[in-house]
Amino acid sequence: MEVADELEDQLSEINFVPCVKFVKRGVASARNIADGVKPNVNPQVFQELMGGPSGSQQDIDDEESGSDEENANNADDEELPPVKDQNDEFNFDDYDKEHAEPALKMSDIVEVTENDEIADDENDSEAEDDTIKPTDNLVLVGRVEADCSSMEVYVFNEEENSLYVHHDFLLPFHILCVEWFSYDAGSETPGNLCAIGGMEPIIHVYDLDIHHPLEPVVTLGKKGSKKKGIKRVGHKDAVLDLAWNTNYQHIMASASVDQTVILWDLEHTTPSTILKDFAEKVQTIEFNASEAEYLLTGCSDNTVKLFDCRQSNDENAQYKKWIVEGEVEKIKWNPTQKYHFVAGTNGGKMYYFDSRATDPLWVIEAHEKEVTDFSFNPKVPNFLTTSSTDNYLKVWNFNDTSCNVVHSQHCKVGKVHSLDGCPENGFLLAVGGDKRKKNFNVANLLDYDDIRQAFTGEPVSNQGTKMEADDED
């Protein structure tokens, strides 16, 4: 009993953010669908969701018409109704024979259009919070708390300096990674979707414009069953990272503990190619934004590999390999130099590579513990931010020959597990950690004098806001 109580206490202490993702402005619907079902849904599909009979409206009309004709033909054969007991005030004798009206009919459903407005006279501020503005960013925050996991969708507005949870939803497994994408198969307009990977091999895709999703809109992968004769599709183990190809938008890549990387065809939700050239779990992946056919991978077997997806298939893959000291925790392409990328290890080392060369351009001891994430600034070529489980976030000024720390900050979110920069302003960072009471924050790095002076040329004002250190637990 004591062991069970101790385990329960340990679970109650778990509260961390394994992944964060900034979403660019202007892609979210101004008003989310509130009931978990898309508007203008097919009536047949909706009836099936609600557990009612399936079939087209014509079938329903024909069935009703047939019933009317049958009733008319049998009218003469009906028995006279029994004499009602005058003392039976509440008609208990016929209680079991009564037919109640259904609680929900198709005629009760209202189609929602873009012009529809939901009145909220009692609380205008709540109505305003529900409305997503064109100047708002969404920030996706994956949270693991005790034995539960959820996705929190924040709204961040840089002009107003506001940050709040717009909505959230529970997940059926512990989340480890999230990727935003806009490819909506079968739709003529871009979507607002996210793929979520975690401790199960199945990848779940959710529509972020649905306020309280009842279920994912689609899943990538399927568990097999020998007993039922169902063949497994996709990964065998946990999914550690996801990467969307912004050029070939129907392609999503996933990395797994099962030592494979799968290229998914989002149009058909099936694997297109399975890369198997790994000796350990694959922890991090990213497509090159300029050369879309190249996929970079980082593995626990101390290797970084660059795959040419055009020349790779399930049986034979073409790749270039680099060996580093330690397990590769994170890799990231430099958005301002298409051939260059950075890699971080579990020992705290940071490598900077030119993919055309064999040796790294430079190697430094960036952190005392594992490097968990990177963030470049697309508008400032020599700007790089790193995070680590040593609780520190560091800002670097680098080039092809050297890398120097500009700012080092002991974060107030605990061990930093995730980091992502705002697409419109690379100085704005979403940071996720493991501190129990406060483990997520959006920070503006230009609040720090040394960063502002190093990258903007502005003079030191000595009025910069400082990020507080962790409280001692």
Side-chain angles (χ1 to χ4, degrees):
M1 192 69 176
E2 292 180 359
V3 175
D5 291 340
E6 184 177 349
L7 180 60
E8 185 176 349
D9 291 340
Q10 291 176 353
L11 281 175
S12 65
E13 294 293 326
I14 297 175
N15 188 346
F16 72 102
V17 175
C19 54
V20 294
K21 187 69 177 180
F22 253 108
V23 178
K24 63 182 180 180
R25 298 165 190 168
V27 300
S29 174
R31 285 188 178 275
N32 290 109
I33 294 92
D35 298 324
V37 180
K38 275 282 193 182
N40 304 318
V41 69
N42 185 301
Q44 178 181 354
V45 174
F46 189 84
Q47 281 192 324
E48 291 174 355
L49 285 173
M50 299 306 295
S54 60
S56 65
Q57 185 63 42
Q58 182 65 41
D59 295 336
I60 297 171
D61 293 342
D62 292 344
E63 188 176 317
E64 291 178 351
S65 176
S67 299
D68 292 341
E69 292 177 4
E70 184 178 348
N71 292 339
N73 293 334
N74 296 333
D76 296 336
D77 299 331
E78 291 182 357
E79 296 181 1
L80 292 174
V83 178
K84 184 177 181 179
D85 186 353
Q86 298 298 324
N87 296 323
D88 187 9
E89 180 180 356
F90 298 103
N91 196 24
F92 287 120
D93 290 339
D94 296 331
Y95 178 80
D96 293 333
K97 301 177 183 179
E98 292 182 354
H99 298 284
E101 286 292 319
L104 179 66
K105 300 179 291 184
M106 290 302 296
S107 59
D108 297 328
I109 300 171
V110 179
E111 287 191 351
V112 181
T113 66
E114 294 182 357
N115 296 324
D116 288 337
E117 294 288 340
I118 301 174
D120 192 358
D121 296 333
E122 295 182 358
N123 197 332
D124 292 338
S125 62
E126 289 186 7
E128 184 179 355
D129 287 346
D130 286 339
T131 302
I132 300 176
K133 305 171 186 176
T135 55
D136 287 338
N137 290 102
L138 297 185
V139 186
L140 310 182
V141 179
R143 184 178 300 280
V144 176
E145 186 171 3
D147 57 352
C148 295
S149 186
S150 64
M151 172 56 67
E152 297 174 350
V153 181
Y154 282 76
V155 170
F156 172 75
N157 189 286
E158 181 182 0
E159 296 177 358
E160 301 172 359
N161 194 28
S162 62
L163 177 70
Y164 62 91
V165 178
H166 185 271
H167 65 279
D168 60 0
F169 50 92
L170 291 175
L171 300 171
F173 53 79
H174 279 350
I175 183 174
L176 296 174
C177 55
V178 61
E179 177 69 310
W180 179 89
F181 65 103
S182 63
Y183 181 79
D184 193 353
S187 175
E188 297 180 356
T189 58
N192 181 24
L193 307 164
C194 72
I196 296 175
M199 294 302 293
E200 290 191 358
I202 310 299
I203 300 165
H204 287 210
V205 176
Y206 290 87
D207 190 330
L208 295 171
D209 287 337
I210 297 179
H211 204 149
H212 295 294
L214 303 176
E215 57 186 4
V217 293
V218 72
T219 56
L220 302 178
K222 181 171 60 178
K223 292 181 179 180
S225 173
K226 293 182 178 179
K227 184 180 295 185
K228 297 180 180 180
I230 301 174
K231 187 178 180 180
R232 178 186 52 80
V233 177
H235 289 296
K236 301 177 184 178
D237 211 328
V239 177
L240 300 180
D241 201 10
L242 294 160
W244 178 47
N245 194 316
T246 56
N247 293 285
Y248 300 116
Q249 297 194 355
H250 65 292
I251 298 296
M252 175 79 71
S254 59
S256 174
V257 174
D258 65 11
Q259 303 178 20
T260 67
V261 170
I262 295 180
L263 305 183
W264 294 91
D265 180 352
L266 296 175
E267 178 72 31
H268 303 98
T269 65
T270 56
S272 174
T273 303
I274 301 178
L275 306 176
K276 306 173 184 177
D277 299 82
F278 306 98
E280 257 291 354
K281 60 186 176 182
V282 189
Q283 302 200 109
T284 174
I285 54 176
E286 187 178 36
F287 283 104
N288 189 303
S290 301
E291 305 285 342
E293 61 273 12
Y294 290 111
L295 177 67
L296 194 64
T297 68
C299 185
S300 292
D301 62 3
N302 298 15
T303 63
V304 176
K305 293 179 180 178
L306 178 60
F307 287 84
D308 184 346
C309 297
R310 297 170 301 180
Q311 307 296 326
S312 301
N313 54 49
D314 293 358
E315 304 301 327
N316 185 30
Q318 297 294 322
Y319 62 86
K320 184 175 181 178
K321 180 174 75 173
W322 297 267
I323 298 176
V324 300
E325 294 182 18
E327 299 180 8
V328 182
E329 296 289 338
K330 194 69 179 178
I331 49 93
K332 203 169 195 66
W333 289 103
N334 185 343
T336 64
Q337 295 184 346
K338 67 178 183 179
Y339 297 114
H340 293 186
F341 66 88
V342 65
T345 72
N346 63 336
K349 284 191 174 183
M350 179 167 58
Y351 293 75
Y352 192 53
F353 289 95
D354 183 332
S355 60
R356 299 164 296 183
T358 303
D359 298 324
L361 297 174
W362 47 256
V363 184
I364 63 169
E365 297 282 351
H367 289 272
E368 295 180 0
K369 296 183 179 180
E370 69 184 74
V371 178
T372 56
D373 221 331
F374 300 105
S375 180
F376 286 97
N377 189 330
K379 298 179 181 179
V380 183
N382 57 334
F383 179 96
L384 174 64
T385 306
T386 61
S387 62
S388 171
T389 53
D390 64 6
N391 293 38
Y392 277 85
L393 182 146
K394 294 184 179 182
V395 177
W396 307 85
N397 190 335
F398 74 99
N399 54 36
D400 288 353
T401 59
S402 64
C403 183
N404 300 297
V405 65
V406 172
H407 182 85
S408 179
Q409 188 66 47
H410 193 264
C411 295
K412 62 181 179 182
V413 297
K415 297 177 181 178
V416 186
H417 290 277
S418 51
L419 179 72
D420 195 37
C422 175
E424 293 81 10
N425 182 353
F427 291 109
L428 295 171
L429 295 180
V431 184
D434 69 351
K435 191 174 181 181
R436 188 164 174 263
K437 293 182 180 180
K438 185 175 182 180
N439 46 34
F440 167 69
N441 189 25
V442 173
N444 187 349
L445 296 181
L446 291 181
D447 286 342
Y448 300 96
D449 288 333
D450 47 3
I451 297 175
R452 189 168 61 254
Q453 185 179 28
F455 295 103
T456 69
E458 293 183 13
V460 175
S461 65
N462 295 320
Q463 294 179 354
T465 303
K466 299 297 182 183
M467 185 180 290
E468 297 176 1
D470 284 322
D471 296 328
E472 296 294 334
D473 292 328

